[in-house]
Amino acid sequence: MQDGEARRTLDELVTLYELEPEVRDLFVEGRSDRNFLKAHLLNGAGTALCNIYAVSDRVHIPDGELMAAGLMVGERGRILWLAQQLSTRIPGHSSVALVADKDFASLKADVKEDVHGLFYTDYSSMEAYALNEVTLTKLLRVSLGAPDYISASSLISAVKPALIALFLIRLCLRDSGTGATIPNKTLAKWDLDDQSEVKVGEVFRLALNGVPVRERNEQTPEKLYAKYIEYQGLVDSEFRNFVNGHDVSLVIVRFLKSECPSVFNSDARRPLQNSDVLEVVLMSCVDTPSLTNEPMFRAIEAWIENNTRDS
């Protein structure tokens, strides 16, 4: 729990903002998002009055409320639900801003509605902000000590097809209603050079094999692949719109193990083979100047400045 504060119900939160109109809160999906935004946003005047919370650390929102509202259960759903409720209960409020990942909205498969106080990431996930040459060069040279022949541009070129393929596979599996997921063993051995029909179809087959036949909703690898091709036709040139956040570090590890495995030989860098560990390091390599022109960051900074100026 952040700062030792207890979670509040929606009614308690509304009462707080009505009784203390000077309070300014920014809600995000998770703690890693909270830490990332605190590092890059709270640098200007008046920001001491703005708190950033992972939504579940601050607000109690039962899963049943999300399902009743037609939202998917999860932290993104909680952000959307809270934004909708606050815009209804306190119209035109200036107390709260909320940030949700765009997720699959670029493929029109996720909600991206205009709600007062709600902002969406510029790309599909917060981790996509690290997919630029400045950040990746810092990761390669400083964090990993990678050889000079491994460049940020070559890394991006190598991992882009795999990131998009994994993103589309995850969407097809989610929409199948089966609860099927990509097996961890498949992810751990992902071949960056093979996004073929045979490979993708095999992933769907393995994923469905993990689900009892009676729960497969008559889905087959062939049906899922047909949906995959349909979504693939909607992918545009901005690949960062089609990236699952946790896949970023996973495919970077796969790339490095293939191209220069020696970067993991030292005791200090061996833990970076763990994609969860590398993700933390990668996000730490993002510099604030690289975010200044991103629309979401400009919008949130404007909200902070405009709504704390007279508080």
Side-chain angles (χ1 to χ4, degrees):
M1 204 68 65
Q2 184 174 324
D3 300 325
E5 296 178 89
R7 290 199 299 171
R8 297 178 181 271
T9 64
L10 173 64
D11 287 342
E12 290 171 337
L13 206 60
V14 169
T15 299
L16 169 67
Y17 297 140
E18 290 176 338
L19 294 178
E20 301 183 39
E22 73 280 1
V23 171
R24 298 292 180 266
D25 290 336
L26 175 61
F27 291 101
V28 297
E29 292 185 27
R31 292 178 180 175
S32 59
D33 291 347
R34 177 200 66 192
N35 296 340
F36 183 69
L37 291 182
K38 282 182 72 172
H40 296 290
L41 284 172
L42 301 190
N43 299 310
T47 54
L49 299 173
C50 182
N51 304 297
I52 302 183
Y53 298 100
V55 62
S56 288
D57 279 350
R58 183 60 169 158
V59 194
H60 176 63
I61 305 173
D63 290 350
E65 296 284 1
L66 304 183
M67 291 185 282
L71 295 169
M72 296 192 68
V73 173
E75 300 312 284
R76 186 178 191 271
R78 287 180 168 79
I79 288 288
L80 299 179
W81 183 88
L82 183 58
Q84 293 167 356
Q85 294 297 317
L86 291 175
S87 67
T88 299
R89 297 280 295 270
I90 320 174
H93 67 81
S94 57
S95 299
V96 178
L98 307 99
V99 176
D101 281 350
K102 192 159 61 172
D103 276 6
F104 299 110
S106 293
L107 296 173
K108 305 187 188 308
D110 269 330
V111 174
K112 189 176 179 290
E113 59 181 317
D114 185 14
V115 180
H116 179 74
L118 178 60
F119 301 92
Y120 292 93
T121 53
D122 297 295
Y123 312 110
S124 55
S125 62
M126 200 71 75
E127 290 78 6
Y129 286 109
L131 288 171
N132 59 75
E133 292 194 16
V134 172
T135 298
L136 292 175
T137 297
K138 187 175 178 181
L139 175 75
L140 290 170
R141 300 291 170 259
V142 180
S143 302
L144 291 163
D148 289 344
Y149 68 84
I150 301 295
S151 68
S153 60
S154 66
L155 189 159
I156 290 173
S157 296
V159 303
K160 185 192 303 185
L163 285 171
I164 294 172
L166 287 168
F167 185 78
L168 300 180
I169 289 169
R170 290 185 185 280
L171 174 56
C172 292
L173 290 175
R174 189 198 74 173
D175 285 357
S176 72
T178 63
T181 58
I182 304 173
N184 288 333
K185 288 183 179 180
T186 301
L187 285 172
K189 298 178 180 179
W190 195 270
D191 183 351
L192 298 182
D193 296 323
D194 187 3
Q195 326 304 326
S196 65
E197 179 178 352
V198 172
K199 170 66 175 293
V200 174
E202 177 68 2
V203 175
F204 284 136
R205 185 187 68 79
L206 292 171
L208 289 174
N209 283 349
V211 178
V213 174
R214 65 182 180 277
E215 297 176 15
R216 294 181 190 175
N217 298 333
E218 300 184 348
Q219 294 286 350
T220 65
E222 292 75 22
K223 287 182 179 179
L224 292 174
Y225 186 74
K227 194 66 178 177
Y228 174 91
I229 293 299
E230 181 181 330
Y231 281 130
Q232 193 177 53
L234 300 176
V235 173
D236 59 34
S237 59
E238 180 47 87
F239 84 99
R240 289 176 291 182
N241 283 327
F242 313 100
V243 171
N244 176 277
H246 296 307
D247 288 338
V248 173
S249 55
L250 183 147
V251 298
I252 290 176
V253 169
R254 294 295 300 154
F255 171 80
L256 292 170
K257 284 188 172 182
S258 171
E259 298 298 321
C260 52
S262 61
V263 298
F264 298 121
N265 285 349
S266 70
D267 290 340
R269 291 179 173 131
R270 195 166 293 118
L272 298 182
Q273 296 177 89
N274 181 309
S275 61
D276 291 338
V277 176
L278 187 69
E279 181 178 306
V280 174
V281 175
L282 172 64
M283 297 308 288
S284 299
C285 289
V286 178
D287 292 321
T288 300
S290 69
L291 301 171
T292 55
N293 291 322
E294 298 288 5
M296 185 195 76
F297 281 84
R298 292 203 309 267
I300 295 175
E301 287 174 344
W303 175 82
I304 292 174
E305 181 180 352
N306 293 338
N307 291 303
T308 59
R309 183 181 297 146
D310 301 321
S311 298

